[in-house]
């Protein structure tokens, strides 16, 4: 909705606009055009493709995380005494500890994955900027995103992407 609103309200009839998609690699969804209807159609088509593949994956991930959090929250709150009657409680405590560890590992893996997913986004932005370098005048690159994690270890790549855009006169 934000992209469509931007096209309708911020793009003038004299603007030449191309539409790229970064998910699954850099893809040109619509070559440069002045036609807002073509841009909007390309946005809607890209959205339909992206939403269909991500919806079930996101739902599964959400359900798994929710299940782990529920298991951790339902675990015993205090120490378990080592008595024969405490066998079931000890088993529940072990399950809660395992669920907690799985949740911690998942969060750590998702953080690492986020950093890995940031690299291609930055590379795509740099490639688009470099591709626009030969076009005279000032250019604007607008990125619509749900966000991404740019860890400190990627500061050099963020700065490199900014430098490439500046040299290509891309804002």
């Amino acid at each position: 909705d934000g992209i469509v609103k931007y096209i309708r309200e911020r793009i003038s009839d004299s603007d030449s606009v191309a539409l790229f998609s970064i998910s699954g690699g850099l893809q040109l969804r619509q070559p440069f055009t002045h036609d807002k209807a073509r841009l909007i159609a390309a946005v809607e088509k890209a959205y339909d493709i992206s939403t269909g593949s991500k919806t079930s994956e996101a739902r599964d991930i959400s359900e798994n995380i929710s299940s782990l959090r529920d298991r951790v929250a339902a675990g015993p709150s205090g120490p378990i005494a080592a008595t024969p009657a405490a066998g079931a409680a000890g088993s529940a405590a072990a399950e809660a500890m395992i669920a907690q560890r799985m949740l911690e590992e998942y969060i750590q893996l998702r953080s690492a994955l986020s950093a890995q997913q940031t690299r291609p986004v930055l590379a795509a932005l740099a490639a688009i900027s470099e591709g626009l370098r030969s076009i005279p005048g000032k250019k604007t690159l607008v990125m619509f995103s749900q966000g991404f994690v740019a860890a400190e270890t990627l500061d050099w790549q963020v700065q490199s992407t900014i430098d490439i855009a500046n040299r290509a006169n891309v804002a």
Side-chain angles (χ1 to χ4, degrees):
D1 290 340
I3 299 170
V4 171
K5 182 178 178 182
Y6 185 87
I7 291 169
R8 286 188 176 133
E9 296 177 7
R10 302 289 304 265
I11 304 295
S12 73
D13 292 338
S14 63
D15 290 334
S16 185
V17 178
L19 179 68
F20 295 89
S21 171
I22 299 176
S23 63
L26 180 60
Q27 299 169 355
L28 177 62
R29 297 288 181 179
Q30 172 60 53
F32 282 98
T33 182
H34 299 281
D35 186 345
K36 290 183 184 184
R38 289 180 76 181
L39 287 166
I40 291 170
V43 166
E44 289 171 347
K45 183 177 179 183
Y47 178 79
D48 290 343
I49 291 168
S50 174
T51 302
S53 64
K54 290 181 182 176
T55 300
S56 64
E57 179 185 350
R59 183 179 56 247
D60 290 346
I61 289 170
S62 178
E63 287 172 2
N64 288 338
I65 294 302
S66 180
S67 172
L68 280 174
R69 285 191 172 132
D70 290 346
R71 287 171 61 191
V72 168
S77 58
I80 305 298
T83 65
S91 193
E95 284 186 28
M97 287 173 48
I98 290 168
Q100 176 66 37
R101 181 69 178 155
M102 287 175 59
L103 185 57
E104 290 168 2
E105 286 295 319
Y106 175 78
I107 292 169
Q108 211 171 18
L109 289 171
R110 287 298 293 181
S111 295
L113 180 61
S114 292
Q116 290 297 327
Q117 290 172 334
T118 299
R119 287 185 176 106
V121 171
L122 293 171
L125 293 174
I128 293 167
S129 295
E130 190 61 41
L132 295 174
R133 176 181 266 189
S134 63
I135 299 172
K138 186 162 180 62
K139 285 82 60 176
T140 301
L141 192 155
V142 179
M143 180 174 147
F144 290 89
S145 170
Q146 292 178 337
F148 59 91
V149 177
E152 284 185 40
T153 57
L154 297 177
D155 282 353
W156 68 270
Q157 192 173 6
V158 170
Q159 189 57 54
S160 175
T161 302
I162 292 168
D163 292 344
I164 290 167
N166 286 336
R167 285 193 302 272
N169 204 13
V170 174

